[in-house]
Amino acid sequence: MNALTLVCSKCGRESRADVNYLCDNCGGILEVRYGFRVDGADGLPRELLKDETQRGLWKYWRFLPVEREENRVSLDEGNTPLRRADRLGKALGLDRLYLKDETREPTGSFKDRPTAVAISKAKEFGATTVITASSGNAGAAAAAYAAAAGLECYTFVPAKAPVSKLTQIRMYGAHIVPISGNYSNSFRMALYAARKYGWLNVTTTHLNPYSVEGDKTISYEMFEQLEHDVPDWIVIPIGAGPLLTGIFRGYRELKSMGLISKLPRMVGAQADGCSPVAKAFREGKSAIDPWGAVTTIASGVSDPLTGYEQDGDYTLRHIIESGGMALSVSDEQIMRMAELLASKEGVYCESTAAVSAAVAQKMSAEGLVHADSSIVCLVTGSGLKDTDLYARHTPLSEPLDATEEAIDAFIRKVDPTIPL
Ligand SMILES: *Cc1c(COP(=O)(O)O)cnc(C)c1O
Ligand SMILES: [Zn+2]
């Protein structure tokens, strides 16, 4: 494997790929560079994109920053379905709607991709303890991969995170540290603890430059699943936005390899109650303001970006470069879409994951997209992550007596036209 380097996205300074987070010189976000050029000019055959002897995400190991095979930590992540959603598409007025179903990942969210890479890299650096700040899903992923790698794991989470996510983290055996206030508080405290105790920080914002490389494997998979076609639009629920950054990077690499000729337009999807990126986009700004009070059910994207605003700026830059947009939707629209995804497509996702399809619905309703454009919505996490929210939303009826009369009466209440 060729030598990896890190390049600052702001000042361009290059450094050796070490346990670095932000740029030493200017504090900018770092990007991984590989020892080959992805355009194939210096001899990388295109067929090397994929190694068929490996599974899932690790098929693409040549484009991932883990140098030695024995350091790879895997729970069989990746290789998720890309499904055509014709019933939902019809309801939204979209003829070519697809769902990239990340609810199927080992811990139930796409965070397994960035985390598999970050934990493998932590192992490569010889770390014995990792730490993450998370709204829940990245914490569950870090806890699971740390368990598989035999590392100690601390997860700093907002105390109000969904019960299912907090439970999952504890069952994987991580030290869970609930912190009051919103996600940015957990982020700041994890920075402090990582520095003070020398733990490796695998937080999945743009802080750890290795994790975002895992996100880009989604593009490689979709490239195959769409038989080398590029979708017109990709709609992604975003917090800080590394998922969007990674997917866009993946497509850029495919283009520079000459495998595709156009790039998708990237859409950042947020909830009205926490939408710093959508607000900046709407106002035509290139820099975001941190969000004030967070008020949304979409816990996975409840990131006010306080103290690391440049993450939002960086994501916004990719959205604009791609000719895309950033939009937000209300909690009512999100909840209705979560029900539609489940009842029309059989895809049970957490509220945060429904934000993308809710934004696609808005794009269609507002004429921002043609009916015949191809749109992929990322469905980023499982409905099992939001059991408490959905149980409150759809309360169970009182139990029936175990009698035939009670059953008949119940059925007739559902459909009075059924004959006795
Ligand atoms: C983390 C998360 C997101 C947002 O991803 P970022 O890459 O942090 O912007 C979206 N959906 C779910 C379910 C998440 O857990
Ligand atoms: Zn710099």
Side-chain angles (χ1 to χ4, degrees):
M1 183 75 187
N2 297 296
L4 294 170
T5 53
L6 296 172
V7 177
C8 175
S9 63
K10 212 183 237 171
C11 74
R13 183 147 114 179
E14 198 166 330
S15 55
R16 211 161 52 85
D18 209 330
V19 185
N20 309 44
Y21 302 106
L22 301 173
C23 173
D24 284 340
N25 185 40
C26 77
I29 291 165
L30 297 174
E31 298 173 352
V32 174
R33 288 284 149 71
Y34 296 84
F36 51 80
R37 295 211 336 259
V38 288
D39 60 13
D42 50 359
L44 182 82
R46 290 169 187 180
E47 52 273 21
L48 283 188
L49 175 62
K50 180 169 65 170
D51 176 354
E52 286 291 6
T53 69
Q54 305 296 314
R55 282 208 302 254
L57 174 139
W58 295 105
K59 272 190 193 175
Y60 309 105
W61 63 268
R62 290 187 182 86
F63 294 80
L64 294 174
V66 180
E67 300 184 73
R68 301 173 69 92
E69 189 170 354
E70 67 264 26
N71 292 326
R72 288 180 208 159
V73 184
S74 179
L75 296 170
D76 263 328
E77 55 291 326
N79 191 30
T80 56
L82 179 69
R83 296 182 51 250
R84 184 103 180 217
D86 285 335
R87 274 168 48 75
L88 180 63
K90 198 152 182 237
L92 306 191
L94 296 168
D95 298 340
R96 288 196 290 153
L97 178 67
Y98 296 84
L99 306 175
K100 180 66 170 162
D101 186 359
E102 291 289 308
T103 69
R104 316 280 193 101
E105 293 285 4
T107 77
S109 90
F110 84 88
K111 292 287 195 317
D112 290 344
R113 294 182 192 258
T115 304
V117 173
I119 296 279
S120 299
K121 201 62 195 168
K123 195 172 157 195
E124 195 148 87
F125 286 135
T128 54
T129 303
V130 295
I131 179 170
T132 188
S134 165
S135 65
N137 285 336
Y145 284 84
L151 305 178
E152 285 289 303
C153 179
Y154 285 80
T155 62
F156 284 26
V157 290
K160 283 182 301 191
V163 174
S164 316
K165 297 182 184 180
L166 299 179
T167 305
Q168 199 182 359
I169 293 168
R170 290 203 300 283
M171 288 302 288
Y172 288 128
H175 306 282
I176 190 165
V177 186
I179 311 246
S180 61
N182 62 40
Y183 173 79
S184 292
N185 284 357
S186 299
F187 180 88
R188 197 172 67 250
M189 291 302 103
L191 276 186
Y192 160 78
R195 211 172 285 137
K196 170 137 181 175
Y197 300 104
W199 298 335
L200 206 135
N201 196 332
V202 295
T203 297
T204 59
T205 56
H206 292 104
L207 177 73
N208 182 314
Y210 305 104
S211 58
V212 65
E213 296 295 295
D215 291 314
K216 76 188 185 186
T217 55
I218 289 176
S219 318
Y220 304 156
E221 283 176 20
M222 295 206 301
F223 167 71
E224 291 174 37
Q225 289 168 320
L226 290 173
E227 290 167 351
H228 303 191
D229 230 14
V230 177
D232 297 317
W233 300 90
I234 303 179
V235 190
I236 305 170
I238 57 166
L243 177 59
L244 187 147
T245 298
I247 291 176
F248 192 50
R249 188 176 295 171
Y251 275 103
R252 275 192 162 154
E253 290 175 354
L254 293 168
K255 185 156 182 276
S256 73
M257 281 184 264
L259 294 170
I260 57 174
S261 54
K262 69 160 197 173
L263 293 172
R265 301 169 83 172
M266 308 300 291
V267 181
Q270 299 199 299
D272 289 344
C274 185
S275 48
V277 178
K279 178 167 180 283
F281 180 82
R282 193 168 58 240
E283 294 171 353
K285 293 182 180 159
S286 61
I288 68 111
D289 293 318
W291 195 257
V294 170
T295 54
T296 172
I297 55 171
S299 62
V301 287
S302 293
D303 188 343
L305 302 172
T306 313
Y308 44 100
E309 292 82 355
Q310 66 170 349
D311 270 62
D313 303 345
Y314 185 65
T315 301
L316 181 59
R317 197 175 96 200
H318 297 130
I319 290 169
I320 291 169
E321 279 172 14
S322 76
M325 54 182 102
L327 298 169
S328 65
V329 285
S330 70
D331 279 6
E332 292 69 38
Q333 290 169 313
I334 295 166
M335 186 58 97
R336 214 173 316 125
M337 183 52 68
E339 287 174 324
L340 277 178
L341 282 161
S343 61
K344 288 214 178 284
E345 296 294 339
V347 174
Y348 183 44
C349 69
E350 64 174 288
S351 52
T352 303
V355 172
S356 48
V359 161
Q361 178 172 36
K362 184 171 188 168
M363 289 167 69
S364 175
E366 297 190 355
L368 298 170
V369 61
H370 294 295
D372 62 352
S373 298
S374 56
I375 299 197
V376 176
C377 289
L378 267 287
V379 185
T380 45
S382 165
L384 298 172
K385 301 277 199 169
D386 252 340
T387 302
D388 41 338
L389 173 75
Y390 293 154
R392 283 197 305 277
H393 182 70
T394 56
L396 203 60
S397 57
E398 285 300 306
L400 300 182
D401 289 336
T403 64
E404 295 178 359
E405 294 73 28
I407 301 300
D408 289 340
F410 181 86
I411 304 288
R412 232 141 345 99
K413 218 163 42 178
V414 173
D415 182 354
T417 68
I418 293 180
L420 256 183

